[in-house]
Amino acid sequence: MVTVADSRREEILTWLEEVKDPEVPVLSIRELGVLREVEVSGDEVVVVMTPTYSGCPAMHAMEADVVTTLARHGVPNARVRTVYAPAWTTDWISDEAKAKLAAYGIAPPARVESDDLVALRRRAPVECPYCHSVNTIVRSEFGSTACKAILFCNGCHQPFELFKAI
Amino acid sequence: MTTGKREAGDGKRDKVGSSVDGWVAGARPATATSGTAENPFFEYLLRLADDRLVLGHRLSEWCGHAPILEEDIALANIALDLIGQASLLLKLAGEIEGKGRSEDTLAYFRDAIEFRNAQLVELPNGDFAVTIVRQFLFDAWDVLVLERLTAASNQSLAGIAAKALKEAKYHLRHTAEWVRMLGDGTAESHARAQRALDDLWPYTAELFLRDAIDAEAVASGSGVDVESLRPRWRQTVDQVIGEATLTVPKDGFAPRGGRAGRHTEHLGRMLADMQSLARAHPGAAW
């Protein structure tokens, strides 16, 4: 049975598709995995979110966007609750969303390896999002935002960003 | 320059080093006692948080000054992760303390003697080799600590640890790679990396000291027996240092006291810089 709260929740989730990561504007916060749940109880709406990185400054922008977007759709007093467990992982980004990242020019994250020693090992070759060559090198393990690294493609001589797998 | 003792020369390093640190650690009255506290879990969280806050601030000092652009970005990113983790841990600490202190109050309105970080993280940045070697030694320790804390009985702490662990592994991969590059690089980079390792090594001992605060946290299911982590830490460190063609220094002189609020003179200066804005405009927000 679909309750009023359920259909309200679905409606709110649809509106929240408008909220994008300000640094990766092709992905909604749901596709990014930052939006965890919407809790509806009477008039009260609580949006449960989890940060990508502990210090990600874009989180504040996304939280503010959630509140203003819902207000625009006539939900005046939505609240955001932040949770830290389970910890965000790029494995939550769907294949469809990864294709959007690649089309936008950001190489999508590989599957996270659970190997204990992964911290001391180099990553597998990354495919260039422009020409699909795997003849690429890491220019910088860290990029313009906490979630990205900077690579260079020897095939098409283009720098590109990689969404770090964590 | 890292610990202010390098100019003493190799032969006198230990002697000068211990007198400098002996003065700092021993001459100041210790109002904080080591190993006992009114609220041990609060104290325990401060240790975890302050390591990150202080090291994060130190790394942020490189912003705009790193030898290459990529490393400027990297050090700022690592700083951001560490300060983010510190913020979450201090918020939790404030809740556990129950006296209404927020993460900002704890970060900006405590004095050096109230900080609980290990002395390793407060030392000045020195050259790029000192910063990288310190970060590597810390990251190798941090990954082990966070792995254990993901099983903490306090669910908030377990959640923060699980998140921070992913970040710490990424940091470790990066800093281990740089230690290899510096050690196995030019004669100059090798010499600087070895000197950094020699200067910093004594300060790593404090990371593995345990006292009653640790014991209480371990007993409650929300702490790590740091002493037991040392063999695994040495395994990682020895492997990377070996690949870097560097030599692991001998254990010996080992300053301590940071966990009880006894710090080198460097922390006070760093905090004066870090806290000046918040103290000039208390309560300001944006």
Side-chain angles (χ1 to χ4, degrees), chain A residues 50-57 84-85 87-90 112 114-123 139-150 164-166, chain B residues 70-71 73-75 77-78 80-81 83-85 88 91 136 143 147 155-156 158-160 162-164 166-167 169-174 176-177 180 232 236 239-240:
Chain A
T50 195
T52 51
Y53 286 77
S54 301
C56 179
Y84 299 100
W88 178 79
T89 166
T90 43
V112 176
S114 56
D115 188 336
D116 200 28
L117 284 174
V118 76
L120 288 175
R121 218 176 41 212
R122 291 173 202 227
R123 61 164 63 88
R139 271 284 166 80
S140 176
E141 292 277 6
F142 296 85
S144 58
T145 68
C147 56
K148 287 175 277 183
I150 301 170
K164 287 151 51 172
I166 73 160
Chain B
E70 287 81 356
E71 278 318 289
I73 296 168
L75 294 174
N77 264 279
I78 297 173
L80 190 63
D81 286 341
I83 293 168
Q85 294 164 15
L88 300 179
K91 184 166 185 279
F136 165 68
V143 164
E147 267 174 5
Q155 289 304 298
S156 301
I160 294 167
K163 172 148 234 47
K166 289 163 177 276
E167 296 161 358
K169 282 186 172 180
Y170 200 88
H171 301 166
L172 176 59
R173 182 171 67 183
H174 184 70
E177 190 68 20
R180 289 188 196 101
R232 276 189 67 199
T236 305
Q239 183 196 328
V240 174

Side-chain angles (χ1 to χ4, degrees), chain B residues 224-246:
Chain B
V224 181
D225 175 4
V226 277
E227 205 173 284
S228 73
L229 301 180
R230 198 171 166 86
R232 276 189 67 199
W233 178 79
R234 276 301 298 261
Q235 216 178 334
T236 305
V237 168
D238 288 4
Q239 183 196 328
V240 174
I241 296 296
E243 287 164 1
T245 73
L246 297 168

Side-chain angles (χ1 to χ4, degrees), chain A residues 89-148:
Chain A
T89 166
T90 43
D91 285 351
W92 290 345
I93 300 174
S94 69
D95 287 345
E96 189 194 349
K98 283 179 181 174
K100 285 188 191 176
L101 274 178
Y104 185 65
I106 299 174
R111 295 292 295 178
V112 176
E113 296 169 74
S114 56
D115 188 336
D116 200 28
L117 284 174
V118 76
L120 288 175
R121 218 176 41 212
R122 291 173 202 227
R123 61 164 63 88
V126 176
E127 185 182 305
C128 170
Y130 300 116
C131 75
H132 308 293
S133 166
V134 289
N135 183 10
T136 61
I137 54 163
V138 178
R139 271 284 166 80
S140 176
E141 292 277 6
F142 296 85
S144 58
T145 68
C147 56
K148 287 175 277 183

Side-chain angles (χ1 to χ4, degrees), chain B residues 10-46:
Chain B
D10 284 354
K12 289 182 176 171
R13 179 175 288 157
D14 279 355
K15 188 166 172 281
V16 175
S18 42
S19 67
V20 167
D21 290 288
W23 177 78
V24 172
R28 293 171 68 179
T31 56
T33 51
S34 178
T36 54
E38 197 183 317
N39 189 339
F41 191 48
F42 169 70
E43 281 283 315
Y44 188 71
L45 290 172
L46 283 187

Side-chain angles (χ1 to χ4, degrees), chain A:
Chain A
M1 194 184 91
V2 177
T3 65
V4 175
D6 282 342
S7 59
R8 178 83 170 145
R9 185 177 160 278
E10 288 304 317
E11 194 174 37
I12 287 168
L13 280 169
T14 311
W15 292 332
L16 288 177
E17 282 300 302
E18 295 166 26
V19 182
K20 311 289 184 193
D21 180 336
E23 300 290 350
V24 191
V26 286
L27 292 191
S28 71
I29 54 172
R30 183 188 56 80
E31 290 172 308
L32 188 63
V34 160
L35 174 61
R36 302 311 299 152
E37 188 52 84
V38 169
E39 297 167 357
V40 177
S41 158
D43 281 345
E44 203 184 0
V45 174
V46 177
V47 178
V48 182
M49 295 172 73
T50 195
T52 51
Y53 286 77
S54 301
C56 179
M59 280 308 296
H60 301 294
M62 290 188 261
E63 289 169 16
D65 281 356
V66 163
V67 173
T68 53
T69 300
L70 292 183
R72 205 168 57 239
H73 287 285
V75 185
N77 43 14
R79 286 192 301 116
V80 170
R81 192 174 80 233
T82 306
V83 296
Y84 299 100
W88 178 79
T89 166
T90 43
D91 285 351
W92 290 345
I93 300 174
S94 69
D95 287 345
E96 189 194 349
K98 283 179 181 174
K100 285 188 191 176
L101 274 178
Y104 185 65
I106 299 174
R111 295 292 295 178
V112 176
E113 296 169 74
S114 56
D115 188 336
D116 200 28
L117 284 174
V118 76
L120 288 175
R121 218 176 41 212
R122 291 173 202 227
R123 61 164 63 88
V126 176
E127 185 182 305
C128 170
Y130 300 116
C131 75
H132 308 293
S133 166
V134 289
N135 183 10
T136 61
I137 54 163
V138 178
R139 271 284 166 80
S140 176
E141 292 277 6
F142 296 85
S144 58
T145 68
C147 56
K148 287 175 277 183
I150 301 170
L151 283 79
F152 187 82
C153 176
N154 291 321
C156 64
H157 302 285
Q158 287 271 354
F160 64 94
E161 289 187 304
L162 165 71
F163 212 97
K164 287 151 51 172
I166 73 160

